[in-house]
Amino acid sequence: MTTKSAAVAARATVYGYPRQGPNRELKKAIEGYWKGRVTADALRATAADLRRANWLQLAGAGIDEVPTGDFSYYDHVLDTTVMVGAIPDRHRDAVAADPLDGYFAMARGTQDVAPLEMTKWFDTNYHYLVPELGPDTVFTADSAKQVAELKEALALGPAARPVLVGPVTYLLLAKPAPGAPADFEPLTLLDRLLPVYAEVLADLRAAGAEWVQLDEPALVQDRTAAERHAAGRAYRDLGALTDRPKLLVASYFDRLGEALPVLANAPVEGLALDFTEAAAANLDALAAVGGLPRKRLIAGVVNGRNIWVNDLEKSLATLGTLLGLADRVDVAASCSLLHVPLDTTPERDIEPQILRWLAFARQKTAEIVTLARGLARGTGAITAELAANRADLASRAGSPITRDPAVRARAAAVTEADARRSQPYAERTAAQRAHLRLPLLPTTTIGSFPQTGELRTARADLRGGRIDTAGYEERIRAEIQEVISFQEKTGLDVLVHGEAERNDMVQYFAEQLTGYLATQHGWVQSYGTRYVRPPILAGDIARPEPMTVRWTAYAQSLTDRPVKGMLTGPVTMLAWSFVRDDQPRGDTARQVALALRDEVNDLEAAGTSVIQVDEPALRETLPLRTADRPAYLAWATEAFRLTTGGVRPGTQIHTHMCYAEFGDIVQAIDDLDADVISLEAARSHMQVARELAAHGYPREAGPGVYDIHSPRVPGAEEAAELLRTGLKAIPAERLWVNPDCGLKTRGWPETRASLENLVTAARTVRGELPAS
Ligand code: GLN
Ligand code: ZN
């Protein structure tokens, strides 16, 4: 092994590219197909055009080896389920009748058949469809999609590398199929699954693949010795195949840790590692195993899931170190570029100078190509790029957006007392009871009411200049009136204003805070045809003026009952944005928390005595490795307490969480020191109430009794039964009655009926309580 040969071979590659097309053509074609307006052939043609455009774009930009098979009509894990023939029984007929419709039935369900469950892909905001496997699962190989897409790419000219979800990750992401024992471990199916991968690999080789990439991000999580052993066995077996392409095992999102020696010793030809946030740990682990003297190393030095321009010199230094550690070093993004928007160039609302701080998929591709060239030919071959990069980094570092002295001084002066209510929960709860005078089992909602077509039209009209701000606000006030009067009539105890003015719970605040950037076209796939445009936490964060106070105050002016103020919490503001990479997340969270603290205090000053700070994302950004969790939870809970710590004891602070199971973070929830928490619980029959009780959670809680993810109206008796279940875990003095989450995705008819039933249920169960 010589340093020189490793460098000369340096190639540029990526693991995946945004699927949607520059104008979300894929979304339009798929949704058109669902509505019967686009034929299957037209959909396939659009998809093929988008794939071709991506490959030509990548190859044209200088990417030496393009990925194939990363395209998906919905989700690449679902594609893997099809590839290995693990179609759930309930979908078999539909898939046999029409593979495309059957595929969408698995993804979305039909009138009669439930879809696969959907959950987050590691700690990203991408959602995959969870494979359902059981002891009876029979795998069969279906390499058609992979083979066809490889052939399409090869026909265009560039070298192409199929990318598959690896067998170990596939099994680790699965859950027991309906009917399988609840403790069934899908990983026990490994021996049955490997022959199917062997068949797919042989087919890909026959179709012209020199390399195939097997993605194993599950190996960057804490894994048991048995799981690591299974991974070792999988790659020993696949490596031992004779009829196969070269194998590249890819890891990303974190360090490989104890799994690194397992893969380094496996008979595969290549390994891909994340050298962004996990760089130091992966470098140490590589050095500890003596490098990869006979393997190709793909170095993910360009962050594939954040949007900042790369520090090219720093990346070159990392690559230089790696040259001594592998037979050959190639350059890539740390993970698929699926997680970033496509291109910065169409952005018009961001100053050109600031736009140069950002790199979306297209810009990242250029960075990878530049780095590969620099690595192969020396920095002399990329002097112009390095100079431009240095200027962009300096412009960012020196900008007043990046550093606002007032924000920094305030954040530095924060004391422990700022993040603490003036009285402990047990004492302030008496002040709140006296002040609010709520009945036992008080009823409330989570904040939003239906976002009707008229509201969306009003927002579009405002953007399009068809109505002015005054006209728009008139619309919002009318909506608030309606929402308040409905809640009074229905008999809810703590009212909300309904969030009619909010397009999105993060974007609404991001637009009003300085230091945040918004994009016009920065779409990122969340799931299926759903795309989001995460705002960018670009600089120091400040709140120039109150953001929500007038709407809440207006709502309060219409009623004598308490109206709850509604804010998105600091952790969720970070989780659903792109976060700056030049300071620890905890520092950014603290700045956001201080801005929100001002809002909380202003709400209180305007007469709001119940304030909810939503943190639905607290659980989902929990680090993948348990060792990293205490540090995360420390800054996350501190940010929440800093947001809410400035109010009087009699002001009641609520929080809300959903989209996750919370059993393993109950201590952190307690550490938020909120007075009341509402949680998603209807589907799990109050499981979370039992978890809170088991922990000895001392505060008030409202486990949801109305599943808002379904248009179904829960009956009053059904909700009452859930409340009775809740009462077995949480005493009546501390139990609240509320839906699982906000109602913005629901229609008015089901919202009306469900909330009427919820109030009836609360009244019924109150009547059953022993008189005190
Ligand atoms: N207050 C928000 C709402 O009701 C909470 C949304 C959420 O938890 N995702 O819409
Ligand atoms: Zn929610």
Side-chain angles (χ1 to χ4, degrees):
M1 165 184 76
T2 72
T3 304
K4 196 153 163 272
S5 69
V8 167
R11 297 181 124 215
T13 189
V14 297
Y15 313 158
Y17 208 63
R19 299 159 177 162
Q20 70 268 25
N23 295 304
R24 286 183 297 155
E25 289 84 351
L26 186 61
K27 174 189 174 74
K28 285 161 204 159
I30 294 173
E31 290 179 351
Y33 176 72
W34 291 343
K35 293 196 180 109
R37 287 204 293 259
V38 171
T39 64
D41 283 344
L43 171 58
R44 288 195 184 97
T46 301
D49 284 348
L50 291 169
R51 287 193 295 266
R52 184 171 340 107
N54 276 357
W55 287 319
L56 291 175
Q57 153 98 58
L58 288 168
I63 292 287
D64 301 295
E65 210 174 293
V66 300
T68 68
D70 62 311
F71 171 84
S72 182
Y73 283 115
Y74 205 94
D75 161 46
H76 54 270
V77 180
L78 180 59
D79 296 336
T80 313
T81 291
V82 173
M83 183 185 90
V84 303
I87 314 290
D89 288 339
R90 65 183 184 284
H91 292 291
R92 287 210 170 260
D93 290 347
V95 173
D98 182 303
L100 187 61
D101 290 342
Y103 177 87
F104 287 132
M106 285 190 280
R108 310 167 68 219
T110 63
Q111 208 49 43
D112 313 311
V113 189
L116 297 182
E117 192 183 296
M118 190 163 71
T119 196
K120 295 230 164 197
W121 174 246
F122 300 91
D123 57 351
T124 72
N125 284 325
Y126 176 86
H127 300 71
Y128 71 93
L129 290 157
V130 182
E132 296 173 5
L133 306 176
D136 304 330
T137 299
V138 177
F139 296 113
T140 49
D142 176 357
S143 59
K145 172 182 183 294
Q146 280 290 345
V147 166
E149 290 177 18
L150 173 65
K151 287 185 172 164
E152 281 173 29
L154 290 174
L156 292 174
R161 185 182 71 247
V163 178
L164 314 183
V165 175
V168 180
T169 290
Y170 180 74
L171 294 174
L172 288 171
L173 292 180
K175 66 167 208 173
D183 61 353
F184 175 73
E185 289 187 28
L187 194 56
T188 55
L189 299 174
L190 184 62
D191 287 335
R192 262 187 251 171
L193 182 60
L194 291 176
V196 169
Y197 270 79
E199 218 174 309
V200 173
L201 291 172
D203 290 349
L204 286 170
R205 184 187 184 205
E210 186 195 353
W211 285 86
V212 167
Q213 174 173 331
L214 294 157
D215 283 1
E216 293 288 7
L219 298 181
V220 309
Q221 294 172 299
D222 295 318
R223 288 296 162 202
T224 63
E227 289 166 340
R228 287 200 301 277
H229 185 77
R233 197 154 49 81
Y235 286 98
R236 206 171 46 243
D237 287 7
L238 293 178
L241 298 168
T242 46
D243 182 13
R244 66 163 178 89
K246 293 180 193 158
L247 299 180
L248 167 76
V249 183
S251 64
Y252 39 81
F253 299 146
D254 209 328
R255 55 191 183 269
L256 214 33
E258 324 78 55
L260 191 140
V262 176
L263 295 179
N265 291 322
V268 297
E269 288 70 26
L271 214 55
L273 300 179
D274 184 331
F275 289 101
T276 56
E277 282 173 50
N282 272 338
L283 270 170
D284 288 350
L286 258 190
V289 297
L292 304 171
R294 274 172 299 281
K295 285 194 194 345
R296 172 188 190 187
L297 171 63
I298 300 208
V301 287
V302 168
N303 194 323
R305 56 185 296 190
N306 208 343
I307 44 64
W308 299 103
V309 78
N310 188 257
D311 182 337
L312 295 179
E313 276 167 15
K314 191 170 152 214
S315 295
L316 280 172
T318 304
L319 292 167
T321 309
L322 291 173
L323 280 185
L325 288 169
D327 174 48
R328 163 179 166 193
V329 178
D330 292 336
V331 185
S334 57
C335 59
S336 167
L337 296 173
L338 179 68
H339 306 293
V340 291
L342 190 58
D343 188 2
T344 61
T345 43
E347 296 301 329
R348 294 282 168 271
D349 290 352
I350 300 176
E351 275 176 55
Q353 170 81 2
I354 294 174
L355 205 53
R356 296 188 56 89
W357 305 350
L358 308 181
F360 295 172
R362 196 163 171 181
Q363 288 69 39
K364 286 175 188 293
T365 302
E367 291 175 343
I368 293 163
V369 170
T370 298
L371 288 167
R373 189 144 34 89
L375 185 62
R377 300 201 220 130
T379 51
I382 54 168
T383 34
E385 287 89 342
L386 287 177
N389 180 245
R390 228 175 280 127
D392 292 337
L393 295 174
S395 139
R396 182 178 168 208
S399 162
I401 293 171
T402 306
R403 301 184 72 85
D404 175 334
V407 172
R408 298 206 157 234
R410 186 174 177 208
V414 165
T415 65
E416 208 255 298
D418 294 333
R420 196 161 10 94
R421 302 280 300 268
S422 59
Q423 282 182 7
Y425 169 73
E427 288 168 33
R428 64 188 192 246
T429 177
Q432 291 165 20
R433 291 226 159 95
H435 179 60
L436 292 168
R437 306 177 153 280
L438 297 170
L440 286 175
L441 310 181
T443 52
T444 191
T445 60
I446 308 306
S448 57
F449 267 72
Q451 278 276 342
T452 57
E454 293 105 80
L455 282 173
R456 275 193 292 270
T457 308
R459 234 187 313 283
D461 285 348
L462 176 66
R463 267 197 314 272
R466 289 180 291 278
I467 54 173
D468 61 5
T469 308
Y472 173 71
E473 297 196 342
E474 195 42 55
R475 262 308 280 118
I476 299 291
R477 271 195 298 275
E479 188 70 23
I480 292 177
Q481 272 176 32
E482 214 166 293
V483 167
I484 292 288
S485 95
F486 165 73
Q487 294 173 93
E488 282 198 318
K489 218 168 40 225
T490 308
L492 285 145
D493 299 306
V494 174
L495 313 193
V496 297
H497 78 288
E499 301 181 23
E501 77 288 5
R502 302 186 190 175
N503 39 13
D504 171 272
M505 66 183 289
V506 169
Q507 195 185 332
Y508 180 74
F509 292 95
E511 281 169 1
Q512 300 185 70
L513 293 168
T514 49
Y516 251 115
L517 297 176
T519 68
Q520 284 174 293
H521 308 278
W523 298 104
V524 178
Q525 188 178 9
S526 171
Y527 65 89
T529 58
R530 262 290 260 279
Y531 289 81
V532 294
R533 255 181 322 174
I536 300 171
L537 272 159
D540 284 349
I541 295 296
R543 185 202 70 147
E545 51 189 76
M547 304 181 282
T548 66
V549 177
R550 62 203 179 102
W551 298 121
T552 307
Y554 174 69
Q556 186 67 79
S557 76
L558 302 172
T559 178
D560 293 332
R561 302 187 185 208
V563 173
K564 183 159 66 160
M566 284 294 151
L567 303 174
T568 302
V571 184
T572 301
M573 290 298 293
L574 262 70
W576 295 347
S577 305
F578 288 115
V579 185
R580 57 192 295 182
D581 62 348
D582 58 348
Q583 67 185 20
R585 266 160 218 260
D587 292 5
T588 304
R590 176 177 281 200
Q591 292 182 357
V592 175
L594 287 169
L596 292 169
R597 177 187 178 94
D598 294 343
E599 186 73 12
V600 168
N601 293 349
D602 284 348
L603 279 168
E604 181 186 64
T608 311
S609 33
V610 183
I611 300 169
Q612 178 171 310
V613 177
D614 291 323
E615 286 292 19
L618 180 69
R619 174 68 181 74
E620 74 188 39
T621 35
L622 198 61
L624 295 176
R625 293 273 185 180
T626 29
D628 301 332
R629 292 181 181 180
Y632 161 78
L633 290 171
W635 67 249
T637 55
E638 191 220 54
F640 183 92
R641 289 195 312 273
L642 196 52
T643 302
T644 53
V647 295
R648 291 190 290 268
T651 298
Q652 190 170 63
I653 296 291
H654 288 221
T655 188
H656 164 71
M657 291 177 200
C658 52
Y659 307 133
E661 278 151 25
F662 297 98
D664 57 348
I665 58 159
V666 178
Q667 183 57 51
I669 293 177
D670 197 2
D671 290 343
L672 299 178
D673 196 22
D675 300 302
V676 183
I677 182 168
S678 60
L679 288 146
E680 182 174 320
R683 266 192 205 184
S684 66
H685 303 282
M686 305 272 120
Q687 170 65 18
V688 73
R690 291 185 286 276
E691 286 164 354
L692 292 177
H695 176 82
Y697 186 78
R699 302 154 197 283
E700 299 174 41
V705 293
Y706 161 21
D707 171 14
I708 62 88
H709 294 110
S710 152
R712 201 178 145 269
V713 174
E717 188 42 40
E718 179 183 337
E721 208 32 55
L722 286 173
L723 283 178
R724 291 181 196 112
T725 307
L727 277 172
K728 292 190 188 130
I730 301 172
E733 303 70 52
R734 294 201 272 111
L735 188 65
W736 283 67
V737 184
N738 48 258
D740 268 349
C741 189
L743 301 163
K744 61 186 160 224
T745 57
R746 298 270 60 94
W748 264 107
E750 74 244 33
T751 295
R752 234 175 253 127
S754 301
L755 292 180
E756 282 162 9
N757 290 347
L758 181 144
V759 170
T760 305
R763 288 184 179 149
T764 305
V765 178
R766 274 174 206 152
E768 298 164 4
L769 296 173
S772 56

